[in-house]
């Protein structure tokens, strides 16, 4: 298995590439656990239920015209499409693109950074 050191991650927010502001990105998924135990079972059985997805992004803040804050702030309260790829360039089996829509409810960070965690509305799709 090839190893990859993340040095050129791409984060596209709507139609805007915000990669130059991003210092870390984490996609997270947790699943409801649904019990399926029935009469006759001698131990509890379970299956995974609905996924609850989220994305956390750490940005270097920039308040200049047409910079980070001017892209994110106007979208508060709306659903925005985001795509994350491990490496800049076309999506492929070795460079999958993860796409999702997120309602934006982040806040401006301290010390000229912005740390946000957004719930994802729906599924995360993987393009290869």
């Amino acid at each position: 298995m090839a190893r990859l050191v993340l040095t050129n991650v791409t984060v596209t927010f709507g139609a805007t590439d915000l990669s130059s502001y991003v210092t870390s990105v984490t996609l997270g998924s947790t699943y409801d656990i649904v019990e399926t135990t029935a009469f006759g079972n001698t131990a509890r059985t379970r299956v995974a239920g609905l996924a609850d997805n989220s994305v956390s992004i750490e940005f270097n803040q920039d308040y200049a015209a047409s910079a980070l804050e001017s892209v994110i702030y106007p979208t508060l309260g709306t659903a925005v499409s985001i795509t994350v790829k491990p490496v800049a360039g076309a999506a492929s089996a070795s460079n999958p693109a993860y796409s999702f829509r997120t309602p934006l409810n982040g806040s401006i960070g301290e010390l000229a950074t912005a740390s946000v965690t957004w719930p994802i509305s729906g599924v995360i799709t993987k393009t290869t």
Side-chain angles (χ1 to χ4, degrees), residues 16-33:
T16 306
D17 184 349
L18 296 180
S19 305
S20 63
Y21 301 102
V22 176
T23 61
S24 72
V25 61
T26 304
L27 287 176
S29 296
T30 60
Y31 293 85
D32 294 336
I33 302 299

Side-chain angles (χ1 to χ4, degrees), residues 47-118:
V47 296
L50 295 174
D52 188 7
N53 302 309
S54 66
V55 61
S56 297
I57 304 174
E58 178 89 16
F59 293 104
N60 286 323
Q61 185 56 280
D62 190 340
Y63 294 100
S66 301
L68 180 68
E69 196 272 345
S70 69
V71 172
I72 292 177
Y73 185 78
T75 66
L76 291 175
T78 67
V80 178
S81 295
I82 297 177
T83 301
V84 176
K85 291 187 293 181
V87 180
S92 67
S94 61
N95 189 35
Y98 298 93
S99 302
F100 44 89
R101 290 180 57 82
T102 179
L104 183 57
N105 62 354
S107 60
I108 303 305
E110 58 190 21
L111 298 176
T113 66
S115 299
V116 296
T117 299
W118 295 310

